[in-house]
Amino acid sequence: MELERSPLAFPFPEELPEIVGVELRVARARYKNWDRADLTFITLSESTAVAGVFTQSACASSEVELGREQVKSGTARALVVNAGNSNAFTGYRGREAVEQIMEQVADHLGCKVSEVFVSSTGVIGVPLPKDKAREGVAQALNAQPCSWLEAAEAICTTDTFAKAAHASAMIGGQRVNLVGIIKGSGMIAPDMATMLGYIFTDAAVEPAFLQQLLSNANRETFSCITVDGDTSTSDTVLAFATGKAGNPALTAFDDAGADAFAAALADVCRQLAQMVVRDGEGASKFITIRVSGASSDDSAHRIALSVANSPLVKTAIAGEDANWGRVVMAVGKAGEPADRDKLSIGFGGIWAARDGLPVEDYDETPVAEHLKGQEIDVTVDLGIGSGRATVWTCDLTHGYISINADYRS
Amino acid sequence: MELERSPLAFPFPEELPEIVGVELRVARARYKNWDRADLTFITLSESTAVAGVFTQSACASSEVELGREQVKSGTARALVVNAGNSNAFTGYRGREAVEQIMEQVADHLGCKVSEVFVSSTGVIGVPLPKDKAREGVAQALNAQPCSWLEAAEAICTTDTFAKAAHASAMIGGQRVNLVGIIKGSGMIAPDMATMLGYIFTDAAVEPAFLQQLLSNANRETFSCITVDGDTSTSDTVLAFATGKAGNPALTAFDDAGADAFAAALADVCRQLAQMVVRDGEGASKFITIRVSGASSDDSAHRIALSVANSPLVKTAIAGEDANWGRVVMAVGKAGEPADRDKLSIGFGGIWAARDGLPVEDYDETPVAEHLKGQEIDVTVDLGIGSGRATVWTCDLTHGYISINADYRS
């Protein structure tokens, strides 16, 4: 099945900086019957700090289980990403395949096994074939370094465009760079799943502080996107800091440049997260849902997700229908504090309903115009507190059904 | 927009018993620009016991707010159902329209205003027009009594078939009858919403006990169905017991015949609930999800709903794809206790995965055959406890998108 490029796709960034200490390579393990690079091998210079956030799924893959433990040690030397097989729900056989990859790479680099991170994405329930993995890794170990574009393409499964973002920050007079790559478009296409994101920086950052910064950034970026509300067994975001920029290592928010670095990291995460939504299966519109006036930020977040995951809201927007009643419904079902008679709903900055009533003399014309665009804004004000949240999603179209139902894997 | 009759539709029951004490009438209030009965007026003999369960939405309609209070008094004399306008999110203007209907009917019948129940279903955010309501009620007050079929049709909005069910039970040597009618197919079609169900019986049942029985039945029937996970602002189920059968009034489970009546009530509720799923928008398959081995019944229920509401599971079944990895995903994301290595998944009584591993020598042929049918069984065993639950849903097809996105209201 050939997927069409998303109408919301961004071109790949033309000038991504090199991150000193990071080397990219790809290989063809042929995890599926295809002729493309599907194994990505990234080496990191010694003492590279690592941090990670992982899926909350109770059925997480071995890669995720191991990764959660590995980040605790704080250092990384390599990352291997397998595309075409998620190796999830494959029991001890799947775990053996991951451990084999870790050992093969550690032997080659002369590092600890725990410093080799592995991710896999693709079909659930098929153990990663050990022979293909072994041969693919061997091929990668001897390959020439490649570009960010090649690496970003090799981690894709049914993504319709390769995704990368960058930012920079000044730390103690020293410019540091950050580059991130990501794959995913919700849980996409037959049997496919998983969002995998990797951020590389030459900044020097202590592992514990890097973890704190990544967790903070995750909360306001990756945790704020949804395509279909279906959470993968393998979602993983890792941040690697090689320290080659030579800045004084960041250890806490008090350090000079820490705020700038945190902002740059969150910026890269936000760009990557939004790109995943823009590649959401069947997406024709990028939707920003802003909730204010809730009883707390957490409550606002849950209400925003209730709106973002409502199939009726998503289909209404696909149909360019300013159906604010469905937003009321989604707020009402969220199970969060709300007062019907204080609730206000708007599209594109125009209120359709205020304080529990349709706006008098409401003119739908500019709202209908807004809904014809590709970037849709939905605003919800609860009027009962100061909690706020923003969530990004896409619409629900025939494309989603075609990708997920019409084609057998 | 003309909707095609659901392929899962049942014929209307041919012989529904009369319920003594219940009189049905319909009228044309013309809440929309259509030529059909859209106002249903049902009178109930004096001292009819009433019980109700209502939407949990924080944005419930005035009808629901009032109904919640009214059932506390325990008696009912009339029910009015408006189709074509849900009157939800219409503030004081909507409430005035409901109160006007209650007063008009109470005046005519010489009963208390609180004994007149009102439900409305249709577009959200448009106050129910008082003039049309007044004229429609006046018309209904003078109409000839009609059949169950006519009443079941008049409460429909975008349902594709009229829905009714019946049962009977013996109480102290006396046969009692129950008839229920219902409308709804999830939150269906542009601007439409709401499941409304009404059960009538000639049995004598004390209001408090009737409420207990209805709440129990609701928990294992209406609370176990989902079409798209979107909860209406107006969902209402009411049970009315006229007492005309002459049985000794039921007051508690110890009473002779109470168990039989409870079973009959649950039976009618289950039939009605399943009919709503069978009229789910775009539905082509009726899906039963059975969860066992969970940490508790409540946990099993939440896991079953997570599977039933997963767009990826629903599209896979629409595509007749035995994609059990997506069921694993949906179990994993439910946020409930689960142990990946004890989890088993099956379709049509055949295990695809057991104890966290694909079944060795798994033959997909009979499973693929099962998925070609219209009645699909999904089995999940957690292997960690004795909690169980069953949930009914339908698949997610192009029909859902067409109904909800392609047609502007």
Side-chain angles (χ1 to χ4, degrees):
Chain A
M1 161 183 195
E2 197 60 41
L3 289 171
E4 275 179 43
R5 186 175 166 85
S6 166
L8 306 174
F10 280 155
F12 198 78
E14 283 198 9
E15 301 204 356
L16 287 173
E18 186 194 355
I19 302 294
V20 183
V22 177
E23 278 190 357
L24 315 169
R25 288 176 175 83
V26 297
R28 290 167 196 239
R30 297 185 199 275
Y31 290 120
K32 296 189 75 172
N33 184 23
W34 55 23
D35 188 33
R36 49 158 275 195
D38 56 3
L39 188 149
T40 308
F41 172 58
I42 302 180
T43 52
L44 305 153
S45 53
E46 284 185 39
S47 311
T48 291
V50 63
V53 290
F54 300 92
T55 181
Q56 304 290 316
S57 173
C59 299
S61 67
S62 290
E63 285 82 339
V64 166
E65 281 188 336
L66 288 162
R68 279 191 192 125
E69 287 305 306
Q70 289 171 264
V71 291
K72 291 180 188 164
S73 75
T75 57
R77 286 298 310 283
L79 167 69
V80 176
V81 184
N82 305 301
N85 184 326
S86 79
N87 196 35
F89 212 72
T90 54
Y92 68 93
R93 284 179 285 175
R95 187 161 177 127
E96 283 173 6
V98 184
E99 287 170 345
Q100 173 193 291
I101 293 173
M102 293 166 71
E103 283 160 20
Q104 188 179 359
V105 171
D107 273 359
H108 180 85
L109 295 180
C111 68
K112 289 188 220 157
V113 169
S114 67
E115 291 179 315
V116 181
F117 288 75
V118 182
S119 303
S120 303
T121 173
V123 61
I124 292 176
V126 179
L128 193 75
K130 285 190 195 176
D131 50 343
K132 290 186 180 179
R134 187 184 304 279
E135 206 168 307
V137 170
Q139 200 187 108
L141 295 177
N142 295 304
Q144 290 298 311
C146 71
S147 67
W148 286 116
L149 176 59
E150 286 170 282
E153 283 175 340
I155 66 172
C156 287
T157 52
T158 49
D159 303 61
T160 74
F161 63 100
K163 306 171 186 73
H166 65 107
S168 67
M170 296 299 287
I171 305 178
Q174 180 68 45
R175 176 165 302 278
V176 302
N177 282 302
L178 301 89
V179 172
I181 58 174
I182 198 161
K183 63 87 46 178
S185 34
M187 291 268 301
I188 93 172
D191 281 322
M192 293 292 178
T194 306
M195 186 189 83
L196 300 178
Y198 308 101
I199 299 133
F200 305 89
T201 177
D202 51 7
V205 190
E206 285 288 313
F209 188 51
L210 185 62
Q211 182 65 50
Q212 190 183 344
L213 294 176
L214 181 64
S215 297
N216 287 356
N218 174 61
R219 208 161 30 241
E220 58 187 53
T221 58
F222 300 113
S223 295
C224 298
I225 62 170
T226 179
V227 169
D228 51 15
D230 274 350
T231 306
S232 159
T233 49
S234 310
D235 289 335
T236 296
V237 176
L238 294 168
F240 302 100
T242 66
K244 294 293 182 190
N247 62 289
L250 296 176
T251 60
F253 278 110
D254 292 344
D255 295 342
D259 287 343
F261 181 77
L265 179 64
D267 182 28
V268 169
C269 289
R270 190 175 304 106
Q271 290 182 58
L272 294 175
Q274 293 189 0
M275 280 182 217
V276 170
V277 171
R278 288 178 188 281
D279 207 3
E281 42 224 342
S284 75
K285 293 176 192 291
F286 180 87
I287 308 168
T288 302
I289 295 164
R290 290 186 182 82
V291 174
S292 59
S295 63
S296 70
D297 287 352
D298 282 351
S299 179
H301 183 71
R302 284 189 287 267
I303 289 167
L305 280 179
S306 178
V307 176
N309 281 324
S310 160
L312 287 170
V313 171
K314 294 161 90 86
T315 48
I317 291 175
E320 304 183 347
D321 182 3
N323 195 325
W324 57 267
R326 293 188 180 175
V327 180
V328 172
M329 176 281 301
V331 172
K333 77 165 184 166
E336 294 296 319
D339 179 341
R340 188 193 61 202
D341 298 331
K342 291 183 177 165
L343 181 61
S344 302
I345 311 281
F347 290 98
I350 298 161
W351 293 115
R354 293 225 68 168
D355 301 326
L357 278 173
V359 167
E360 299 261 6
D361 306 321
Y362 166 57
D363 176 12
E364 204 185 284
T365 316
V367 173
E369 204 52 45
H370 175 72
L371 283 164
K372 285 185 191 149
Q374 283 190 335
E375 311 282 316
I376 308 299
D377 286 313
V378 179
T379 309
V380 174
D381 188 83
L382 278 292
I384 59 169
S386 58
R388 6 182 98 248
T390 300
V391 157
W392 301 284
T393 190
C394 56
D395 55 344
L396 174 57
T397 69
H398 283 289
Y400 185 90
I401 308 290
S402 295
I403 293 167
N404 287 299
D406 294 356
Y407 297 85
R408 296 289 307 270
S409 48
Chain B
M1 161 183 193
E2 196 60 40
L3 290 171
E4 274 178 42
R5 186 174 166 86
S6 166
L8 307 174
F10 279 156
F12 198 78
E14 283 199 7
E15 301 205 356
L16 286 173
E18 185 194 355
I19 301 294
V20 183
V22 178
E23 279 190 355
L24 315 169
R25 287 176 176 81
V26 297
R28 291 168 194 241
R30 297 182 199 276
Y31 289 121
K32 297 189 75 170
N33 185 23
W34 56 23
D35 188 33
R36 50 158 276 195
D38 56 3
L39 187 148
T40 308
F41 171 58
I42 301 179
T43 52
L44 305 152
S45 52
E46 283 187 39
S47 311
T48 290
V50 63
V53 289
F54 300 92
T55 181
Q56 304 289 316
S57 172
C59 298
S61 67
S62 290
E63 284 81 341
V64 166
E65 281 188 337
L66 289 162
R68 278 190 193 124
E69 287 306 306
Q70 289 173 262
V71 291
K72 290 179 189 164
S73 74
T75 57
R77 286 298 311 282
L79 167 69
V80 176
V81 184
N82 305 301
N85 185 326
S86 79
N87 196 36
F89 212 71
T90 55
Y92 68 92
R93 284 179 286 176
R95 189 166 176 121
E96 283 174 4
V98 183
E99 288 169 344
Q100 173 194 290
I101 293 173
M102 293 167 71
E103 283 160 19
Q104 188 179 357
V105 171
D107 274 357
H108 179 85
L109 295 181
C111 68
K112 288 188 220 157
V113 168
S114 67
E115 291 178 314
V116 180
F117 288 74
V118 182
S119 303
S120 302
T121 173
V123 62
I124 292 175
V126 179
L128 192 76
K130 284 192 198 174
D131 49 345
K132 290 186 179 179
R134 187 183 304 279
E135 205 167 307
V137 170
Q139 199 188 109
L141 296 177
N142 295 305
Q144 290 299 310
C146 71
S147 66
W148 285 116
L149 176 60
E150 286 170 282
E153 283 175 339
I155 66 172
C156 286
T157 53
T158 49
D159 302 61
T160 74
F161 64 100
K163 305 172 187 74
H166 65 109
S168 67
M170 295 300 288
I171 306 178
Q174 179 67 46
R175 176 165 303 278
V176 301
N177 282 302
L178 300 88
V179 172
I181 58 174
I182 199 161
K183 64 87 46 179
S185 36
M187 292 269 300
I188 94 174
D191 281 324
M192 293 292 179
T194 305
M195 186 191 81
L196 300 178
Y198 308 101
I199 299 133
F200 306 90
T201 179
D202 51 8
V205 190
E206 285 288 313
F209 187 51
L210 185 63
Q211 182 65 52
Q212 191 184 344
L213 293 176
L214 182 64
S215 297
N216 287 356
N218 174 61
R219 206 158 37 239
E220 58 187 53
T221 59
F222 300 112
S223 295
C224 297
I225 62 169
T226 178
V227 169
D228 51 15
D230 273 350
T231 306
S232 159
T233 50
S234 311
D235 290 334
T236 296
V237 176
L238 294 169
F240 302 100
T242 65
K244 294 294 182 190
N247 63 288
L250 296 176
T251 60
F253 279 110
D254 292 344
D255 295 343
D259 287 343
F261 180 78
L265 179 65
D267 182 27
V268 169
C269 290
R270 190 176 304 105
Q271 290 182 58
L272 294 174
Q274 293 189 0
M275 280 182 217
V276 170
V277 171
R278 288 178 188 280
D279 206 3
E281 44 227 338
S284 75
K285 294 176 192 290
F286 179 86
I287 307 168
T288 302
I289 295 163
R290 290 187 182 83
V291 174
S292 58
S295 63
S296 69
D297 287 352
D298 282 351
S299 178
H301 183 72
R302 285 189 287 266
I303 289 167
L305 281 178
S306 178
V307 176
N309 281 324
S310 160
L312 288 170
V313 171
K314 294 161 88 85
T315 48
I317 291 175
E320 305 182 347
D321 182 2
N323 195 326
W324 57 267
R326 293 188 180 174
V327 180
V328 172
M329 176 282 300
V331 172
K333 76 163 184 167
E336 294 296 319
D339 179 341
R340 188 194 60 200
D341 298 331
K342 291 183 178 165
L343 181 61
S344 302
I345 311 281
F347 290 98
I350 297 161
W351 293 115
R354 294 225 66 169
D355 301 326
L357 277 173
V359 168
E360 298 262 5
D361 306 323
Y362 166 56
D363 176 12
E364 204 184 283
T365 316
V367 174
E369 203 51 45
H370 175 72
L371 283 164
K372 285 184 190 149
Q374 282 190 335
E375 311 282 316
I376 309 299
D377 286 313
V378 179
T379 309
V380 174
D381 188 83
L382 278 294
I384 60 170
S386 59
R388 9 182 97 246
T390 300
V391 157
W392 301 283
T393 190
C394 56
D395 54 346
L396 175 56
T397 68
H398 283 288
Y400 185 91
I401 308 291
S402 294
I403 293 167
N404 287 300
D406 293 356
Y407 297 86
R408 295 290 306 272
S409 48

